[in-house]
Amino acid sequence: MPSLPPSVTPDWAFEREHWRRGYFRVAGVDEAGRGAWAGPVTVAAVILPGLAQDYPFRDSKQLSPAQREAFAAEVRRVAVCWAVEHAWPDEIERLNILGATHAAAARALARLDPAPQALVTDYLRLRTPLPLLAPPKADALSYSVAAASLLAKTERDRVMTELDAEYPGYGFAAHKGYGAPAHRAALERLGVSPVHRRGYAPIARLLQRGLFSD
């Protein structure tokens, strides 16, 4: 495994709160891409073995791409179960970004087998009958949420690389659909593609100017 950068180390504190109440299958949930201008928002759900052992997992934002890929592979290897779901721009436009994130999370959780008994999320207050802890920065503090962060980020990056090949010129593989200067310049040059989020203000302004892609 690659070496880790100095960072906050996750632990099991939030999971233990659920364990003390008799909920032992605790799913961590996290998303990637909520602020992007293009592509999906991606949500992962992961149940790790409840052995309270240390893992190398960290918030994906603290890691290099190579580290994220290595740790994501380890998550898939050790997890009791995991699932990843996307909400694409048409769903985001229909439900708004928060609603689409909740919908993708519900789909990911429904695919977990065995089903979770409780949840920990990164400040995502899901509408769920399950006991839920949603502290801020949980992706840096909880092993389960850090594991979900790794799967969501690496899977979304893979999708954006595929979209880069399908819609060349926008630079999706580099900026992953976020509002980088190169992305802004490409939009001015090429117009708005089918995978851009048309309800987002910067994209809506371009559409008002008639900047559609061919």
Side-chain angles (χ1 to χ4, degrees), residues 4-16 48 52-60 62-63 137-147 149-150:
L4 290 169
S7 64
V8 175
T9 302
D11 59 29
W12 296 103
F14 297 113
E15 289 85 351
R16 282 195 174 95
L48 293 174
Q53 68 186 72
D54 291 337
Y55 288 108
F57 311 145
R58 299 290 187 272
D59 170 16
S60 64
Q62 298 176 351
L63 304 174
K137 306 298 183 183
D139 51 359
L141 301 173
S142 158
Y143 275 126
S144 299
V145 181
S149 168
L150 288 162

